[in-house]
Amino acid sequence: HNSSVLNATDQIGIARQASPTHLPHRSKQIPTMSAAAARRRKQQQKRAAAKSGGDESDPVQIRLDALLQDPTLTEESVAYEALQLAQSAVRRNVKLGDFAKATEVAYS
């Protein structure tokens, strides 16, 4: 009889140890974002900014415009940089579906 009482007491003690009394309240926890979700969110924000922004917000186009106004464009390194920037601007506009702008950049 004593062993059964002791056994029951041990089981209660084990059950008390297994269930903590200070569980955090779920509604107060700050939701964490996985790295992949954060990356997707950042990409979506970047795409939205690219679609809403014009030439003023595009650093590639700003640099290309500055190079095309530069009188030292006759130097090979400067001309090569301008070519690379123009190709980048054309690819970007094609990706955004702005074919008229891509053509304008390619032939200006």
Side-chain angles (χ1 to χ4, degrees):
H1 182 265
N2 276 346
S3 67
S4 65
V5 172
L6 182 59
N7 227 358
T9 308
D10 286 345
Q11 288 176 357
I12 292 172
I14 291 171
R16 285 185 184 155
Q17 289 174 358
S19 61
T21 57
H22 60 280
L23 288 175
H25 194 269
R26 291 237 180 240
S27 66
K28 291 184 180 182
Q29 288 182 340
I30 298 172
T32 56
M33 189 178 299
S34 71
R39 188 170 43 256
R40 283 191 300 272
R41 181 174 172 221
K42 186 177 178 181
Q43 288 170 347
Q44 287 173 344
Q45 289 173 342
K46 188 176 180 181
R47 283 189 203 112
K51 286 182 181 179
S52 66
D55 288 344
E56 307 84 35
S57 65
D58 184 14
V60 171
Q61 189 64 44
I62 292 169
R63 177 71 177 142
L64 178 60
D65 292 341
L67 283 177
L68 292 176
Q69 300 300 323
D70 191 357
T72 64
L73 192 59
T74 57
E75 293 181 27
E76 184 179 352
S77 62
V78 177
Y80 184 74
E81 182 182 358
L83 173 65
Q84 295 296 313
L85 291 170
Q87 289 173 341
S88 175
V90 168
R91 283 192 301 272
R92 179 179 180 275
N93 285 309
V94 167
K95 185 177 179 181
L96 292 174
D98 192 353
F99 303 110
K101 181 69 177 168
T103 306
E104 178 187 329
V105 171
Y107 289 102
S108 63

